[in-house]
Amino acid sequence: MEQNVIQKREAQTPQGVEWASARKVFMPRTDICDKADEIIVMADMPGVDEASADVTLENGVLTINGKVKECACKDHVMHSQEYEIGDYQRAFTLSDEVDQNGIQAVVKNGVLTLRLPKVPRARARKITVKAE
Amino acid sequence: MLTLDPVQELELLEEEMTDLLGGVHVYPLVNVWSNETEAVLTAELPGAEAKDLEISVMGDALALCGTRQSQELKENEQYHRRERLAGKFARSLVLPFKVNADKVAAKLQHGILTVTLPRAEEDKPRKISLKPE
């Protein structure tokens, strides 16, 4: 069977814009789950905690950021490297079905979870069909 | 709905195709540092808890296995995007030298596993002093 090594993908910048820092910025792998009354976004950001995670909402664009500390192995030499270390960033456009004032963010074990509540009218409603 | 830019969409599609064709993911990716007295292994395991992981060491071989939990969906729920890997995983690695298995220490913090592996006494390099004739 094929061995599939998945490296972290570098985050995109708008055309013509470059990162000011020398560190790499990766796009966290993300699950987006659509539930009846909310949307759950879970992003893998290993090394990020509540102090280094940052979520901003501007003009309907939700941006997640995470800073990762350098490895403390200063007196060691690299023996083998499979993954690179860097910060995380990813942005999502929100539609008007999301209640932008009710967004909650939690980070646990290097996973950032966002709960995006839906505005009441966007929630699925069940309409009972009556017999005539 | 949440939207992404087209380039990202294409990259993800390519990855999904590899999955469909039955590729096996190498998970987790591991970095190893070393000096004369110890090796330090790090791995990115977002979401993992200590109970999900099993590490074993013998001589200069290390095995790491575990399970990555995924969220169960209820009725009327669906994934718009599913990029995070889930399921059982296993890695085995050859370390730079034999280690003292009794003194191996592992910690899991913010989704990063760090395993400190002290070099076995009998494997440490010995300085040979030159005697004057």
Side-chain angles (χ1 to χ4, degrees), chain A residues 1-9 12 27-36 39-50 68 71 73 75-85 88 90-95 97 108-111 116, chain B residues 1-5 7-8 11-12 15 18-19 22-26 28-35 38-40 42-49 68 71 73-74 76-85 91 93-96 109-112:
Chain A
M1 262 186 289
E2 192 193 343
Q3 287 277 297
N4 185 16
V5 178
I6 297 188
Q7 291 294 345
K8 289 187 272 191
R9 269 186 303 274
Q12 313 275 321
M27 189 171 94
R29 299 177 76 83
T30 303
D31 284 351
I32 299 170
C33 184
D34 191 349
K35 299 192 171 190
I39 294 171
I40 308 283
V41 177
M42 292 176 90
D44 283 349
M45 297 162 88
V48 172
D49 61 11
E50 62 279 7
V68 176
C71 178
C73 310
D75 53 341
H76 296 68
V77 290
M78 176 70 82
H79 174 73
S80 63
Q81 180 174 31
E82 292 179 345
Y83 70 89
E84 290 184 282
I85 297 162
Y88 297 98
R90 191 159 178 176
F92 302 95
T93 311
L94 300 184
S95 71
E97 69 170 338
K108 190 188 174 194
N109 298 331
V111 179
L116 315 176
Chain B
M1 271 293 292
L2 298 146
T3 50
L4 277 179
D5 83 76
V7 180
Q8 290 178 346
E11 284 179 351
L12 293 167
E15 212 170 81
T18 319
D19 286 359
V24 176
H25 293 300
V26 177
L29 296 182
V30 169
N31 287 350
V32 181
W33 280 266
S34 66
N35 62 18
E38 62 175 15
V40 177
T42 61
E44 293 186 321
L45 287 154
E49 297 195 23
R68 221 184 150 190
Q71 263 197 315
L73 289 189
K74 293 191 201 92
N76 298 327
E77 296 182 353
Q78 57 165 326
Y79 278 107
H80 285 319
R81 188 164 292 287
R82 199 168 187 183
E83 300 161 6
R84 299 166 69 232
L85 303 170
R91 290 286 322 258
L93 302 159
V94 178
L95 300 167
Q109 196 179 31
H110 309 316
I112 295 180

Side-chain angles (χ1 to χ4, degrees), chain A residues 91-108:
Chain A
F92 302 95
T93 311
L94 300 184
S95 71
D96 16 323
E97 69 170 338
V98 173
D99 172 10
Q100 303 195 351
N101 296 315
I103 297 174
Q104 290 182 333
V106 177
V107 66
K108 190 188 174 194

